[in-house]
Amino acid sequence: MASDNYGIALPQSKYWRPVGCPPHESLVKGSHTTIRIGQDLDHSFFIHTKLLTFHSDYFRGCLNPNNAFKEFTENRVDLHDEDPEIFELVNQWLYTGMVWSATRENCVERKWKGFVFTAMRLWVFGDKRGMPALQNAAIGVFHWCYWKTWSSLDGIDPAPMLRYVDENTMESSKLRGFVLEIVTNTMMVGTKADEWLDGLSAAILYELIRVLDRLAEEGGKHKPKDQWLASLDLCKWHVHAKDETCHSSKGNEEKKKTEEKSSNGGRERRR
């Protein structure tokens, strides 16, 4: 259980939120903040302020009364460089815990391929605005849509994915690492490699080579590709607080302490 700025225990943290989990009732009370989106600021969203500040470091900063920024005094935040389509999904996730209910019909109609890129853009929004729980949700959607696209044999051209993460993420980015892992494990790298590697930075090419070297050392231990995709532990590519994982639990912590005590006892006996 986490605690927000209002001292209320919450069933979710800013790093993780169960799929479909609506916001805690304490976050959908009180004042609203107007969010204006787009170059002309012609798309407006009215969102509970507590909901924004709980999930976003960015909004927490600009709407903090102690900072006295104009966003707080005007109770409005303008985001000229954001896409209204992406923010519509952000708004939906804030209130429902679901990223894609509005686009589920498209996914059912096998339009998964396009939503893979939407999920990447959603992740980048979360990265820019300090919304790790949204980033983790976007990784889940990316994985699901990619899995459905790959298994349906529609395929995805790796070039746009690689270029997007090359241009929009840092080397340590979880999305970047996930895309490289996915591409190298499900694509025939030698097929038209010159075409889809053209124009990539030296940094991401080096990262790609490191992943390929690791896979070569593992000697093809993976399951068939569709099974491999289905069985991935996405926690590896989630944004978490230090020493936190999706599998963290009191039971695991107790087990770890017991193992440590046992190990220490063994060393003392050997002395």
Side-chain angles (χ1 to χ4, degrees):
M1 301 285 279
S3 177
D4 67 6
N5 295 334
Y6 310 97
I8 302 171
L10 301 172
Q12 56 206 24
S13 78
K14 71 173 187 175
Y15 292 96
W16 180 251
R17 182 176 178 182
V19 175
C21 178
H24 191 274
E25 60 181 9
S26 66
L27 302 181
V28 288
K29 293 180 179 179
S31 63
H32 290 70
T33 296
T34 301
I35 311 295
R36 300 194 302 181
I37 305 291
Q39 291 184 347
D40 299 323
L41 299 177
D42 51 355
H43 291 77
S44 296
F45 298 82
F46 304 95
I47 302 175
H48 285 89
T49 305
K50 290 181 181 179
L51 194 56
L52 288 168
T53 57
F54 176 75
H55 281 293
S56 167
D57 293 339
Y58 172 81
F59 289 115
R60 189 177 305 117
C62 64
L63 296 173
N64 187 333
N66 296 323
N67 293 335
F69 293 143
K70 72 171 186 176
E71 286 86 355
F72 171 75
T73 57
E74 298 177 1
N75 203 27
R76 187 184 71 225
V77 179
D78 294 340
L79 301 176
H80 294 269
D81 58 341
E82 299 295 355
D83 185 340
E85 177 187 349
I86 295 300
F87 197 81
E88 178 65 51
L89 293 174
V90 174
N91 183 52
Q92 173 183 283
W93 175 82
L94 284 170
Y95 280 100
T96 68
M98 297 289 289
V99 169
W100 64 357
S101 61
T103 56
R104 188 178 180 83
E105 184 176 326
N106 287 342
C107 289
V108 171
E109 292 176 1
R110 295 181 63 175
K111 296 180 181 177
W112 305 299
K113 189 183 300 185
F115 205 61
V116 165
F117 293 94
T118 299
M120 288 197 294
R121 293 169 62 202
L122 194 63
W123 190 97
V124 169
F125 178 95
D127 189 42
K128 289 168 60 179
R129 307 301 172 184
M131 301 179 71
L134 176 65
Q135 291 174 269
N136 295 341
I139 286 288
V141 173
F142 177 100
H143 169 254
W144 195 92
C145 291
Y146 189 94
W147 173 35
K148 289 296 183 181
T149 301
W150 189 89
S151 61
S152 69
L153 302 180
D154 289 337
I156 294 180
D157 181 359
M161 287 197 302
L162 289 169
R163 291 193 188 104
Y164 183 80
V165 294
D166 190 20
E167 296 169 1
N168 293 280
T169 66
M170 304 290 286
E171 289 183 40
S172 59
S173 157
K174 296 289 188 178
L175 176 64
R176 190 181 183 112
F178 189 48
V179 168
L180 288 171
E181 192 77 18
I182 288 285
V183 166
T184 53
N185 275 280
T186 61
M187 300 288 183
M188 294 179 63
V189 177
T191 304
K192 300 182 178 179
D194 291 341
E195 295 180 15
W196 55 266
L197 295 178
D198 185 48
L200 295 178
S201 70
I204 199 168
L205 288 174
Y206 176 66
E207 291 175 78
L208 184 63
I209 290 171
R210 285 193 301 176
V211 176
L212 289 171
D213 286 345
R214 173 174 59 78
L215 293 179
E217 290 177 1
E218 291 175 357
K221 297 177 183 177
H222 288 312
K223 303 174 183 177
K225 296 299 184 286
D226 55 341
Q227 294 181 29
W228 177 80
L229 280 167
S231 63
L232 280 180
D233 183 359
L234 300 184
C235 181
K236 179 179 178 181
W237 296 282
H238 283 168
V239 180
H240 287 299
K242 185 179 179 181
D243 300 325
E244 180 186 69
T245 71
C246 298
H247 314 295
S248 296
S249 68
K250 186 175 180 180
N252 288 337
E253 292 172 3
E254 294 294 336
K255 181 179 178 182
K256 183 178 179 181
K257 290 178 181 178
T258 301
E259 291 173 346
E260 288 176 350
K261 287 181 181 179
S262 177
S263 176
N264 291 335
R267 284 196 293 269
E268 289 175 0
R269 285 192 296 272
R270 284 193 293 273
R271 289 174 187 168

